Amino acid sequence: MKALVINLTRFGDILQTQPVITALTDQGYEVGVMCLKNFAGTTQLLRNVTRTFSLPGASLLASLDRDWREAVNVFESYCTEIEESFDPELVINLTPSVSSRLITLRLGQGREVRGFAMDDFGFNADTSRWAGFLQMASANRGSSPFNVVDLFCKVAGINKPAPFELAESTAEMKIAALKLLENPAPGAQGFVGFQPGASEDRRRWPVEHFRKLGRRLWKEKRMVPVLLGTEGEKGLGERILQGAEFPSVNLMGGTSLPELAAILRRIDLLVTNDTGTMHLAAGSGTPLAAIFLATAQPWDTGPAAANLCCFEPDLDCHPCPFGKKCAYENVCRREVEPDTVFDAVSSFLDSGEWPRIENRGVRAYLTGRDERGMISLTSLSGHTDSDRYKWIVLQRELYRRFLDGDEFDAAELPKMELSSDLRSRLLSSLNSCRDVLFLLSKQAVILQADPIEAMKMKFLANLQKIQDILSSCPELSVLSSMWMIESRTHESMDGVMDQLKCYMALVGAMSVSIE
């Protein structure tokens, strides 16, 4: 059996496909991966990938500019080559873009398809609610309680996530790493990696914080900072080392991906922003402390391995919504103090355990796995009783049942005591939503028996009303987005009635859990 996994995103997301590939391999599949051409080198870091199909996006766009018929021929030749050389029985698309859906539509003909799909009329035809949740939750900050690794597995139809373990470094790369880290400063006790880059400036921990951390690591622990990053990030490394009072190894822009992976396996610990390097370290078994700023948050894009430490600012406005300028001049960038990170890292280097980190202006978490094998976070900073933490925990349990299609047994529903303000806001929206859902269910029965035009208009207006109610409450915004997408995909009233039933059950369960 052969399976083709499509992931047309970036470096870190491709790495996070590893558990899907591992699970498919365990099921007896030979796995090929389709990715963008400029990230094709990433697949050499993955286990159990037998073929890599790099999508020539630039040449496709160039041919489209010249003549759309030429672009169609290039696209068709690309798909035909995959079919003739690999011929997968299963196609899994983990990317919700239109281009990725079109590829899935073409390659999925006569094959099993999972994930983000498209019907013959160009409409979304995702194969599970998990796919819709992945697409919508990533855009709704604070409403994404599942790690991307687990979401990829669910979208791929894999219920029990496999471990996130990337390929071992080759002997050649291990030797290269040894050479790059040879001759440390006299008295050095080890190495701590620094990854100061990030996808946006506002998601970067300040360079002066890295410098202060490096100074204490050398002075108090005799640990040598190793600067890691791309050629384009070299300027950050140079700024960190300006006036530095510690020895260092500056490898920014000086390693290949396999060399970087081998180096991460050699260092004692990594301090990083939310980056692809963070995911590479997590999949390589490297201890790490990750800092999540601006739009980054550890619940969904955090490292997918156990016993790692994540920091985020303890601010009501964090995480930021995408596409909006910060109204507070990116104050979150300086909330995670270098002394806080040093104390945590120092304790871990001494004992192998992360300490409690309370009253330091941060929300700190320890990564682990829950009873179902999904990545979970435990508060290290005393935030277990906060509304934010409780609401995320409740969402994890109720959304999992909803997305898996499980029944909600009232006797088994979790109870969560929230603040009176949050409880009041949630119940107001949930009760309004429940009333309109009940009305819709009655209207659906009438329409199924007799599709009266006037009733159709009222029914459509109430469908929109559900979206408006849910979107008015930030904590329920992801449900609003899912409702909108799902309500447009049905071909019959049977599908609509099933959607109404499922959402009524979820809304009712949420109400019971917080009453």
Side-chain angles (χ1 to χ4, degrees):
M1 299 186 297
K2 295 179 181 179
L4 177 67
V5 178
I6 302 172
N7 193 327
L8 302 184
T9 50
R10 299 182 300 178
F11 175 57
D13 296 295
I14 296 172
L15 292 177
Q16 291 177 98
T17 310
Q18 179 66 77
V20 171
I21 296 167
T22 300
L24 290 171
T25 302
D26 290 344
Q27 294 173 16
Y29 283 97
E30 178 184 343
V31 182
V33 172
M34 179 191 296
C35 61
L36 294 173
K37 188 174 183 178
N38 49 328
F39 293 112
T42 306
T43 61
Q44 64 188 308
L45 305 175
L46 301 172
R47 291 178 184 267
N48 305 124
V49 175
T50 60
R51 290 290 303 273
T52 298
F53 299 97
S54 57
L55 181 69
S59 62
L60 270 172
L61 289 174
S63 59
L64 187 61
D65 286 339
R66 291 190 297 269
D67 187 333
W68 67 267
R69 289 163 295 191
E70 179 185 345
V72 170
N73 288 332
V74 171
F75 173 72
E76 182 60 26
S77 296
Y78 175 74
C79 293
T80 300
E81 193 273 330
I82 293 174
E83 291 176 322
E84 292 179 349
S85 65
F86 192 64
D87 192 21
E89 288 92 345
L90 171 63
V91 177
I92 297 175
N93 178 24
L94 300 178
T95 309
S97 66
V98 173
S99 57
S100 190
R101 291 176 187 273
L102 282 169
I103 292 170
T104 304
L105 176 63
R106 167 61 182 82
L107 290 174
Q109 295 175 11
R111 298 179 173 89
E112 181 184 357
V113 172
R114 299 179 193 171
F116 298 103
M118 178 182 286
D119 65 22
D120 292 337
F121 300 98
F123 292 101
N124 290 358
D126 300 336
T127 61
S128 74
R129 279 203 172 101
W130 281 102
F133 186 85
L134 171 57
Q135 182 175 2
M136 294 299 109
S138 61
N140 290 273
R141 313 314 291 151
S143 297
S144 183
F146 302 107
N147 191 281
V148 169
V149 161
D150 295 325
L151 289 173
F152 278 170
C153 286
K154 287 290 191 178
V155 170
I158 296 164
N159 287 321
K160 187 176 181 181
F164 181 39
E165 296 176 355
L166 297 170
E168 287 284 343
S169 297
T170 64
E172 180 184 3
M173 290 301 103
K174 290 178 181 178
I175 293 171
L178 283 172
K179 290 182 178 179
L180 289 169
L181 296 177
E182 67 183 356
N183 300 322
Q189 297 298 306
F191 299 95
V192 172
F194 285 2
Q195 169 51 277
S199 58
E200 296 180 75
D201 283 350
R202 61 177 178 163
R203 291 166 62 120
R204 287 194 294 100
W205 205 41
V207 292
E208 57 267 29
H209 283 16
F210 275 106
R211 187 186 305 121
K212 291 177 182 177
L213 177 61
R215 183 183 303 124
R216 289 198 67 183
L217 283 170
W218 173 249
K219 181 179 179 180
E220 300 177 42
K221 310 298 293 185
R222 280 299 186 258
M223 302 298 288
V224 177
V226 179
L227 277 60
L228 305 169
T230 65
E231 181 73 25
E233 295 168 340
K234 288 178 69 173
L236 296 174
E238 292 168 357
R239 289 165 57 194
I240 290 172
L241 297 179
Q242 287 176 1
E245 300 170 0
F246 52 84
S248 64
V249 179
N250 188 355
L251 299 179
M252 299 190 75
T255 63
S256 64
L257 287 179
E259 286 172 335
L260 175 61
I263 288 164
L264 288 170
R265 292 178 185 273
R266 289 289 304 171
I267 62 177
D268 297 274
L269 185 141
L270 175 70
V271 177
T272 178
N273 296 306
D274 180 12
T275 61
T277 302
M278 177 193 73
H279 296 300
L280 181 55
S284 301
T286 305
L288 64 85
I291 301 163
F292 295 79
L293 305 172
T295 56
Q297 61 174 351
W299 284 97
D300 56 356
T301 62
N307 200 29
L308 306 177
C309 187
C310 300
F311 296 95
E312 64 179 352
D314 188 17
L315 297 172
D316 291 340
C317 60
H318 182 80
C320 306
F322 287 119
K324 291 187 178 180
K325 184 178 179 180
C326 178
Y328 308 104
E329 298 182 349
N330 299 319
V331 65
C332 67
R333 289 191 64 202
R334 301 184 181 279
E335 288 295 301
V336 183
E337 294 284 349
D339 287 344
T340 300
V341 177
F342 173 80
D343 289 345
V345 167
S346 176
S347 179
F348 181 85
L349 290 172
D350 288 341
S351 67
E353 297 182 359
W354 296 99
R356 299 290 299 177
I357 309 165
E358 299 183 6
N359 303 314
R360 304 292 289 268
V362 301
R363 298 191 288 258
Y365 303 98
L366 176 69
T367 62
R369 291 189 180 273
D370 64 18
E371 65 278 6
R372 292 179 176 81
M374 300 175 76
I375 295 297
S376 63
L377 299 180
T378 302
S379 177
L380 292 172
S381 50
H383 286 85
T384 306
D385 292 329
S386 68
D387 275 348
R388 186 176 188 276
Y389 188 88
K390 289 179 179 179
W391 178 239
I392 289 176
V393 170
L394 183 61
Q395 287 181 97
R396 281 177 65 87
E397 178 59 27
L398 298 185
Y399 282 157
R400 184 199 59 76
R401 298 188 193 187
F402 170 68
L403 297 169
D404 276 343
D406 293 346
E407 297 289 332
F408 289 99
D409 186 339
E412 297 179 356
L413 289 176
K415 301 293 183 180
M416 202 65 71
E417 186 175 343
L418 303 174
S419 68
S420 58
D421 178 63
L422 177 57
R423 177 177 174 275
S424 176
R425 286 194 295 107
L426 284 169
L427 285 176
S428 175
S429 295
L430 290 171
N431 290 338
S432 296
C433 187
R434 182 179 56 195
D435 292 343
V436 179
L437 284 169
F438 178 78
L439 178 59
L440 277 167
S441 67
K442 298 303 180 184
Q443 291 176 335
V445 172
I446 296 173
L447 282 172
Q448 199 168 32
D450 187 4
I452 305 169
E453 192 63 32
M455 183 62 74
K456 286 183 182 179
M457 299 302 295
K458 293 179 181 179
F459 186 79
L460 291 173
N462 282 327
L463 284 177
Q464 179 62 48
K465 192 171 183 179
I466 292 293
Q467 183 185 345
D468 294 341
I469 292 170
L470 293 172
S471 64
S472 68
C473 182
E475 290 80 9
L476 300 173
S477 59
V478 67
L479 271 186
S480 171
S481 300
M482 285 190 65
W483 171 267
M484 174 189 67
I485 294 294
E486 195 170 344
S487 61
R488 296 175 180 176
T489 61
H490 303 299
E491 297 180 356
S492 68
M493 285 302 296
D494 289 337
V496 175
M497 293 181 74
D498 179 67
Q499 179 182 349
L500 292 171
K501 178 183 176 182
C502 291
Y503 277 78
M504 286 179 71
L506 174 61
V507 167
M510 284 183 166
S511 298
V512 170
S513 294
I514 64 175
E515 283 178 340

